[in-house]
């Protein structure tokens, strides 16, 4: 059975994910993606980009900057509203998110009460009424709840006197809103059309955790789809389906996915409808993808703060209107954790051992083909084959250790096929191809490998 501990250990041992800054004792909740992890991450981003940007007739791409004019975050509501309710324990000096503390307390008691949308005073009232203890020391001596803004603030400028406060973006979406006018003109687009973007976002999360599920630095893949208000419901349904189909087509188990619409109290200030695609992680259901109807909130706010016209023209009536935005937004690392958990499998073999295998969809697999000489004497021949395959598919040449151990290692990083060069290869021009999932082996002429793999890795 998959557990978080097993995923963390496998990720470390097999070069998928390492703890950050380890050499200096680490930096809590930062992670580095190793040789296998970076391939997996790149595959996820590439597959998203193809599906949500290139293959969509109405969507174009963008790469906007992380640092934006600070006024953007006032217009977007992030300076005033992007905050979590914090509470301190006076006894043990630990700090908690008040809403999480209450939710955890209710979950332990099997109490299904909803607290989304409650004010800080109401949350504080529940803590007192229910006599909720401090998760750190069990005490009951708390401070009032204070708001804590999640944006990372830094300074731009060379000298202290003229350094201006500036924020690291907490979402990539705002960079798209700022470019609505320029893209619309340059790409000759009028709504409905969308803009997709992949990039880093930063949030000073109070309670990061669950491995890479919630971190302070992460990458988002966001699509802002601009449309007339009356088409918003149609596009909301369209994008919810596209997102779910994307996951199912990449082999994620149906029973581990659900689409959860937000209750009225839970909705963000800018949204009239939001659905989360959730996955059943080893620690429970967790949000993977949020699809929101952001209405005309963002363009309206930027129009009012910037004084610039962000309206579109109705091609039939020639009337100006402010477009609505449908936004599917997902984190690269969240998806990666989901794919990892979903692919993890343990199989009991006849010899009594257990085989760990990541059953990644072939298009997600970080290493597509392992090339293995049966003996070190055959390394030169195997390298020749590797050089033929590597420009087409990410392949890896491995001539260290017994063939059985090498197969196991490739299973553990989810490599769909291993090609073994043996002593007969020179005579008959054939190699053995082993399938990761069935462990079946077939002998194929080298000349047929290209078409064999073209079929297996067809998008
Ligand atoms: N622009 C809308 C937006 O940012 P969000 O629900 O705050 O909405 C969207 O974030 C997605 O980004 C989430 O569904 C999740 O996949 C990812 N995400 C958000 N915060 C994250 C964090 N601290 N660590 C990792 N991923 C995060």
């Amino acid at each position: 059975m998959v557990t978080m501990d097993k995923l963390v250990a496998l990720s470390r041992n097999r070069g998928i994910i390492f703890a950050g800054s380890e050499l200096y004792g680490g930096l809590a909740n930062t992670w580095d993606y190793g040789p296998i992890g970076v391939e997996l991450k790149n595959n996820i981003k590439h597959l998203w980009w193809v599906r949500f940007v290139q293959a969509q007739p109405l969507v174009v791409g963008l790469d906007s900057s992380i640092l934006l004019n600070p006024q953007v975050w006032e217009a977007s509501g992030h300076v005033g509203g992007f905050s979590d309710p914090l509470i301190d324990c006076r006894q043990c000096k630990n700090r908690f998110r008040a809403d999480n503390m209450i939710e955890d307390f209710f979950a332990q008691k099997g109490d299904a009460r909803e607290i989304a949308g409650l004010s800080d005073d109401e949350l504080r009232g529940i803590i007192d009424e229910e006599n909720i203890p401090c998760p750190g020391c069990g005490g009951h001596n708390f401070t009032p709840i204070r708001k804590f803004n999640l944006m990372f603030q830094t300074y731009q400028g060379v000298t202290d006197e003229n350094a201006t406060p500036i924020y690291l973006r907490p979402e990539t979406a705002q960079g798209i809103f700022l470019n609505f006018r320029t893209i619309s003109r340059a790409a000759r687009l009028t709504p409905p059309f969308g803009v997709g973007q992949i990039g880093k976002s930063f949030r000073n999360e109070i309670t990061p955790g669950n491995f890479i599920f919630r971190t302070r630095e992460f990458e988002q893949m966001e699509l802002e789809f601009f449309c007339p208000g009356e088409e918003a419901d149609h596009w909301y349904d369209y994008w919810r389906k596209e997102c779910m189909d994307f996951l199912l087509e990449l082999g994620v188990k149906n029973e581990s996915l659900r689409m959860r619409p937000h209750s009225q109290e839970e909705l963000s200030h800018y949204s009239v409808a939001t659905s989360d695609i959730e996955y059943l992680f080893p620690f429970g259901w967790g949000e993977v993808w949020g699809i929101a109807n952001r209405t005309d909130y963002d363009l309206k706010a930027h129009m009012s703060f910037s004084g610039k016209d962000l309206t579109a023209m109705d091609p039939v009536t020639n009337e100006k209107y402010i477009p609505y935005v449908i936004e599917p937004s997902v984190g690269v690392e969240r998806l990666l954790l989901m794919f990892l958990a979903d692919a993890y499998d343990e199989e009991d073999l006849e010899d009594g051992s257990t085989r760990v295998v990541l059953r990644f969809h072939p298009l997600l697999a970080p290493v597509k083909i392992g090339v293995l000489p049966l003996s070190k004497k055959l390394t030169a021949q195997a390298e020749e084959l590797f050089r033929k395959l590597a420009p087409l598919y990410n392949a890896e040449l491995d001539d260290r250790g017994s063939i059985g151990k090498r197969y196991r290692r490739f299973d553990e990083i989810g490599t769909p096929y291993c090609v073994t060069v043996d002593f007969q290869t020179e005579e008959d021009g054939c190699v053995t191809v082993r399938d990761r999932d069935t462990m079946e082996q077939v002998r194929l002429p080298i000349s047929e490998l290209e078409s064999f793999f073209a079929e297996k890795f067809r998008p």
Side-chain angles (χ1 to χ4, degrees):
M1 205 189 70
V2 59
T3 63
M4 290 307 286
D5 285 347
K6 285 180 189 175
L7 293 180
V8 174
L10 180 71
S11 296
R12 184 187 164 81
N13 294 338
R14 291 304 180 204
I16 306 173
I17 304 162
F18 308 123
S21 304
E22 231 183 26
L23 207 60
Y24 287 91
L27 176 66
N29 300 299
T30 60
W31 303 96
D32 295 337
Y33 292 78
I36 303 302
V38 67
E39 296 292 341
L40 182 53
K41 233 180 175 188
N42 285 343
N43 289 347
I44 292 170
K45 288 190 273 187
H46 175 72
L47 289 166
W48 182 90
W49 190 259
V50 170
R51 173 71 179 246
F52 287 88
V53 180
Q54 294 177 337
Q56 298 286 343
L58 299 178
V59 179
V60 293
L62 175 73
D63 183 9
S64 70
S65 63
I66 288 175
L67 302 177
L68 303 178
N69 185 312
Q71 268 188 294
V72 170
W73 306 112
E74 282 176 38
S76 69
H78 283 83
V79 170
F82 192 56
S83 52
D84 279 342
L86 273 196
I87 192 162
D88 288 287
C89 171
R90 289 199 176 100
Q91 205 164 289
C92 68
K93 311 287 181 219
N94 272 315
R95 181 169 287 178
F96 306 97
R97 256 181 75 167
D99 51 347
N100 287 356
M101 204 172 98
I102 298 170
E103 278 162 354
D104 291 349
F105 179 77
F106 282 172
Q108 274 169 18
K109 290 203 320 179
D111 187 332
R113 246 182 294 173
E114 273 268 356
I115 58 163
L118 295 187
S119 70
D120 291 350
D121 286 346
E122 286 167 323
L123 292 176
R124 190 68 178 80
I126 294 179
I127 291 172
D128 289 342
E129 278 157 32
E130 301 285 332
N131 206 18
I132 297 178
C134 166
C137 68
H140 294 276
N141 190 0
F142 293 110
T143 61
I145 291 175
R146 287 175 304 124
K147 285 283 186 222
F148 175 80
N149 195 290
L150 295 181
M151 281 197 295
F152 273 103
Q153 191 178 321
T154 181
Y155 295 91
Q156 176 163 287
V158 271
T159 56
D160 285 350
E161 303 85 70
N162 61 13
T164 335
I166 200 158
Y167 302 101
L168 301 186
R169 67 179 175 199
E171 61 172 9
T172 69
Q174 297 302 325
I176 299 180
F177 300 138
L178 302 193
N179 280 289
F180 168 73
R181 226 162 54 128
T182 44
I183 291 177
S184 177
R185 276 191 199 145
R188 294 170 298 113
L189 290 166
T190 48
F193 76 89
V195 181
Q197 160 154 252
I198 301 178
K200 288 262 184 184
S201 293
F202 303 83
R203 294 181 190 177
N204 204 355
E205 299 277 4
I206 297 141
T207 47
N210 278 329
F211 194 22
I212 57 168
F213 182 80
R214 181 170 290 109
T215 50
R216 296 193 171 109
E217 172 186 346
F218 54 98
E219 247 176 313
Q220 285 186 309
M221 303 190 285
E222 300 203 289
L223 173 64
E224 308 303 320
F225 193 81
F226 304 96
C227 65
E230 57 275 17
E231 292 180 20
D233 288 346
H234 161 75
W235 290 111
Y236 178 64
D237 289 340
Y238 175 87
W239 289 113
R240 285 196 316 163
K241 183 169 173 344
E242 279 291 287
C243 297
M244 189 57 107
D245 286 352
F246 177 76
L247 300 180
L248 292 172
E249 284 163 27
L250 284 173
V252 182
K253 295 178 196 85
N254 201 1
E255 64 274 20
S256 302
L257 286 169
R258 70 180 184 194
M259 180 77 76
R260 192 183 65 78
H262 282 205
S263 64
Q264 213 53 34
E265 298 74 41
E266 222 181 323
L267 291 174
S268 316
H269 57 284
Y270 52 71
S271 165
V272 289
T274 296
S275 291
D276 288 342
I277 296 181
E278 297 185 335
Y279 180 77
L280 187 54
F281 289 96
F283 52 81
W285 289 99
E287 172 191 341
V288 173
W289 213 318
I291 303 107
N293 176 349
R294 295 181 72 127
T295 67
D296 56 2
Y297 178 91
D298 303 280
L299 292 184
K300 219 183 217 168
H302 288 304
M303 253 178 95
S304 140
F305 271 73
S306 69
K308 306 274 166 36
D309 181 13
L310 298 179
T311 55
M313 176 91 80
D314 184 310
V316 179
T317 63
N318 279 349
E319 277 173 29
K320 282 183 165 188
Y321 69 96
I322 305 175
Y324 269 42
V325 171
I326 306 299
E327 175 196 67
S329 170
V330 64
V332 177
E333 295 82 358
R334 283 249 178 119
L335 273 193
L336 192 151
L337 182 62
M338 182 203 66
F339 285 128
L340 201 60
D342 205 65
Y344 186 93
D345 195 17
E346 288 171 1
E347 190 180 326
D348 293 329
L349 301 180
E350 277 174 12
D351 64 5
S353 65
T354 304
R355 175 172 90 112
V356 171
V357 51
L358 291 181
R359 298 190 192 277
F360 285 131
H361 186 284
L363 296 179
L364 271 176
V367 176
K368 306 266 186 263
I369 305 166
V371 182
L372 295 74
L374 194 61
S375 138
K376 284 215 173 195
K377 290 184 191 131
L378 298 162
T379 297
Q381 277 161 276
E383 186 175 330
E384 202 179 309
L385 180 58
F386 164 83
R387 286 184 185 281
K388 273 193 196 140
L389 294 171
L392 301 172
Y393 312 100
N394 189 33
E396 199 183 298
L397 177 69
D398 186 0
D399 64 357
R400 288 145 296 164
S402 75
I403 196 83
K405 283 208 176 117
R406 280 184 272 165
Y407 281 152
R408 290 293 174 90
R409 184 186 150 264
F410 278 113
D411 288 342
E412 289 186 10
I413 59 169
T415 305
Y417 297 97
C418 283
V419 177
T420 303
V421 175
D422 56 32
F423 290 101
Q424 233 181 302
T425 301
E426 205 164 7
E427 287 163 32
D428 64 5
C430 290
V431 286
T432 303
V433 179
R434 173 188 180 268
D435 181 299
R436 173 196 71 198
D437 294 331
T438 60
M439 293 196 284
E440 271 168 21
Q441 304 192 1
V442 289
R443 204 144 172 89
L444 282 181
I446 291 177
S447 56
E448 282 178 25
L449 282 183
E450 217 174 293
S451 59
F452 176 83
F453 288 128
E455 174 63 31
K456 299 293 181 191
F457 296 115
R458 193 185 300 283

